[in-house]
Amino acid sequence: MLESLRAYGYSLNSAVADLIDNSITASAKNIWITLRWKGECSWISIRDDGVGMNEEQLSRAMIAGSQSPLDRRERHDLGRFGLGLKTASLSLARVLTVVSKEEKNSLAIRRWDLDYIAEENTDQWRLLKSAREGSREKLKDFESQRSGTVVLLENLDNLCAGTLEKSPADRNEFYHKIDSLNDHLGMIFHRFLSTSTRLRIFINGESEAHLVKPWDPFYSKHKATEPKPKLQIPFGETVTDVQGFILPHKDMLTPAEYEEAGGPLGWNSHQGFYIYRADRLLVSGSWLGLRDGISKWRAEEHYKLARIRIDITNEMDNDWKIDVKKSLAIPPHNVALSLVRYASTVRAEARDVFAHRGKYGKRKRNEKVGKVWLSKQLRGQNTYRLNREHPVIRTFFENIRGRRDEAEAIFRLIEETVPVEQIWLDSAESPEMRSSPFGSAPEKEVIDAARTFLEMLQGDVSTPKKDLIDEVCELECFADHKEVIYAHFGAE
């Protein structure tokens, strides 16, 4: 049975997050996580300053299924099945030792040792009352606390089996997992961590430098983030709270802000729904298998700015099919229908912001200028055509007069060879490298191009120059360079 409890599919990140849930439920304000590299002898401890447990409470907590998922719980209780402590710990380690202390009470110690239980002469579910020989040194920081609990994980066979302490590759992989854990906890518990008086989590130390920093998926602090209207979806006696956010386009962010808002897994992976229960993030970026047509919604580049927050209570666990690892949620049918309607609008608006580089929709466009490229369906396929009615292109055709056929042939060559697949691949693999029009080009290039267009548009018509400058500045390619153009040509 105990060996079977190891097969729930926990990762290091999800296992440690599950253990932290217990600390939060126990009213901990500080949690210290220690991960020590020693090859196959590596170990992990999670220590908190919560209310702690006495001997009887600890013994009960070490039993698999110590709590019924049907029991009514306090609103802040992050548990459900009474399995998390055991399944999360044993998924990583063969030895689980828990030491706890209530204020003014003595230490209580219990240990599950799978190797001991597996011995032929044991043949019992024997819950030991002492730490392993040589393990008390790993618990010394706890003994001076007034109250709290420490979970010690040893013999990390699912994490470190076959590794060598002196192997640089094995050691680097272990520390890479620590970096990933830091990012994961900052995301899962960001609502708790955003107020230091509510919760602090430290990894491998106790200084400010060792604090886990919160990561807000909705990048609420940025002025260009657009919160959408809130929605409440009733279901039985409960209410699901929903709010969408459209994050800023890359062009509205500095490189550092773009990296931060992208999150631990990158922009595409973090689009979609974020489901919280009692402020704890359960699902981080998923479209939950929902759809508004034939195909299910998937993570796609043009929807990456859409993120939607959902808040449920622990009374809704069964309705939402919350799993043991607290990483899967399935909305009830009626709730799902409301989510589809709401999310369809958010996705459409996010797509518009993405397509128009975060600018259109924020201000009224000069429709007289129009777009250079038009997307059309031709013979059941998406095609891209240069807009012959664009003022610059129209003026170009007027100027060449008798050679229009040649120009059309060149335009058709360009249109038929647009490298759509390569553009899509480059955008998906390296979105941070996609440049804006004239990107980092020197001001001289911008001015030279603007001068050429001004001369083309002026022609023989005595249009006031200021009107022409305004028209050039409305062209897509110059939208980010108005100040340079006005400063230069306004001075001439």
Side-chain angles (χ1 to χ4, degrees):
M1 177 65 177
L2 286 175
E3 293 286 354
S4 298
L5 286 177
R6 312 188 74 204
Y8 271 96
Y10 281 92
S11 63
L12 171 65
N13 292 349
S14 59
V16 173
D18 215 341
L19 295 172
I20 289 175
D21 288 345
N22 295 329
S23 297
I24 293 175
T25 300
S27 303
K29 300 297 183 186
N30 295 282
I31 300 172
W32 298 271
I33 303 171
T34 302
L35 304 98
R36 288 287 179 264
W37 168 251
K38 288 192 174 182
E40 291 190 330
C41 297
S42 300
W43 54 274
I44 299 171
S45 71
I46 297 95
R47 174 169 60 97
D48 69 52
D49 59 359
V51 296
M53 294 176 282
N54 57 33
E55 293 273 353
E56 180 183 351
Q57 291 170 328
L58 178 55
S59 292
R60 187 165 62 250
M62 295 292 277
I63 297 172
S66 57
Q67 178 184 19
S68 169
L70 302 179
D71 290 346
R72 180 172 289 275
R73 289 159 287 148
E74 297 292 331
R75 292 185 67 86
H76 70 278
D77 190 338
L78 299 181
R80 183 188 179 196
F81 294 94
L83 288 170
L85 171 62
K86 285 73 64 175
T87 54
S89 299
L90 295 176
S91 69
L92 301 178
R94 296 193 65 79
V95 181
L96 162 63
T97 305
V98 181
V99 183
S100 194
K101 179 170 65 172
E102 290 183 316
E103 193 168 354
K104 298 181 180 178
N105 282 350
S106 58
L107 292 176
I109 302 177
R110 293 294 185 273
R111 169 166 56 105
W112 282 121
D113 190 324
L114 299 190
D115 292 329
Y116 174 82
I117 291 174
E119 292 177 2
E120 290 184 7
N121 59 349
T122 303
D123 197 28
Q124 295 179 24
W125 287 52
R126 189 172 295 173
L127 183 59
L128 305 175
K129 296 184 179 182
S130 64
R132 284 174 101 193
E133 184 178 348
S135 294
R136 288 301 286 257
E137 180 68 18
K138 302 167 187 174
L139 303 168
K140 64 179 182 179
D141 291 337
F142 178 71
E143 295 178 358
S144 60
Q145 288 187 201
R146 297 173 61 183
S147 66
T149 300
V150 58
V151 176
L152 177 63
L153 308 178
E154 300 172 286
N155 193 351
L156 306 174
D157 62 329
N158 282 343
L159 201 64
C160 298
T163 61
L164 300 174
E165 182 177 0
K166 294 185 178 180
S167 166
D170 291 343
R171 182 179 64 249
N172 290 342
E173 178 63 22
F174 185 79
Y175 284 109
H176 173 73
K177 287 184 172 69
I178 296 177
D179 291 338
S180 174
L181 175 64
N182 196 321
D183 291 338
H184 183 75
L185 298 182
M187 176 176 64
I188 298 298
F189 299 103
H190 75 92
R191 286 183 170 180
F192 296 88
L193 299 171
S194 58
T195 305
S196 59
T197 55
R198 188 179 186 189
L199 181 68
R200 298 189 302 171
I201 300 176
F202 300 85
I203 295 183
N204 284 344
E206 300 188 15
S207 71
E208 186 78 17
H210 299 98
L211 273 172
V212 173
K213 302 297 191 298
W215 178 71
D216 174 14
F218 314 106
Y219 211 44
S220 307
K221 67 182 182 181
H222 200 280
K223 63 182 180 181
T225 294
E226 185 180 352
K228 308 308 297 179
K230 296 180 180 179
L231 172 70
Q232 288 193 318
I233 306 174
F235 183 80
E237 298 180 357
T238 64
V239 174
T240 299
D241 294 314
V242 184
Q243 185 175 21
F245 295 82
I246 299 177
L247 272 65
H249 189 279
K250 178 188 174 184
D251 291 354
M252 311 289 281
L253 302 172
T254 66
E257 288 173 337
Y258 184 78
E259 182 72 19
E260 179 185 359
L265 303 178
W267 280 90
N268 274 8
S269 297
H270 285 303
Q271 63 184 268
F273 295 105
Y274 287 72
I275 301 177
Y276 294 82
R277 186 190 64 172
D279 284 346
R280 196 267 202 201
L281 182 58
L282 303 180
V283 175
S284 55
S286 165
W287 291 115
L288 303 178
L290 300 181
R291 70 183 80 195
D292 59 358
I294 297 176
S295 301
K296 292 180 179 180
W297 290 340
R298 305 184 188 281
E300 297 181 84
E301 178 79 4
H302 46 284
Y303 293 121
K304 69 180 184 181
L305 304 181
R307 297 177 186 175
I308 303 173
R309 185 176 67 206
I310 300 176
D311 280 286
I312 65 174
T313 66
N314 56 21
E315 300 170 291
M316 303 158 74
D317 283 357
N318 189 54
D319 295 329
W320 279 74
K321 306 294 188 293
I322 306 300
D323 68 340
V324 172
K325 295 184 295 178
K326 288 170 278 191
S327 60
L328 175 68
I330 302 174
H333 178 67
N334 290 344
V335 175
L337 293 177
S338 296
L339 289 176
V340 167
R341 287 192 292 270
Y342 184 86
S344 294
T345 300
V346 176
R347 281 163 54 91
E349 292 186 25
R351 187 182 188 280
D352 286 344
V353 173
F354 174 81
H356 298 114
R357 313 186 73 85
K359 305 214 171 37
Y360 313 140
K362 302 294 184 182
R363 58 180 174 84
K364 187 176 180 180
R365 287 194 67 219
N366 182 351
E367 293 300 328
K368 181 178 67 173
V369 175
K371 295 182 177 182
V372 175
W373 285 96
L374 300 176
S375 174
K376 295 183 176 182
Q377 279 206 339
L378 185 64
R379 296 185 293 275
Q381 294 182 321
N382 291 327
T383 61
Y384 302 92
R385 295 289 183 257
L386 288 163
N387 181 9
R388 298 329 193 248
E389 295 304 313
H390 189 279
V392 172
I393 297 177
R394 187 174 63 247
T395 301
F396 170 72
F397 277 127
E398 290 171 355
N399 290 341
I400 61 173
R401 294 185 177 90
R403 304 189 67 184
R404 176 159 185 151
D405 289 345
E406 296 176 33
E408 281 287 359
I410 294 173
F411 275 32
R412 190 62 184 270
L413 176 65
I414 294 171
E415 292 168 340
E416 295 296 338
T417 56
V418 175
V420 177
E421 293 83 2
Q422 187 62 49
I423 292 171
W424 182 263
L425 185 62
D426 291 343
S427 296
E429 292 184 342
S430 307
E432 72 284 352
M433 296 181 67
R434 193 163 61 87
S435 65
S436 57
F438 284 102
S440 56
E443 285 188 7
K444 185 178 183 303
E445 288 187 22
V446 177
I447 292 168
D448 289 346
R451 177 180 288 109
T452 300
F453 290 145
L454 277 170
E455 291 172 353
M456 287 177 62
L457 294 172
Q458 178 77 49
D460 298 327
V461 181
S462 58
T463 307
K465 194 166 187 180
K466 183 182 183 306
D467 290 352
L468 284 176
I469 295 173
D470 290 341
E471 189 169 347
V472 166
C473 285
E474 286 298 325
L475 297 174
E476 285 181 306
C477 57
F478 295 124
D480 294 336
H481 306 277
K482 289 182 179 182
E483 293 81 2
V484 172
I485 296 171
Y486 280 126
H488 182 80
F489 292 100
E492 288 187 351

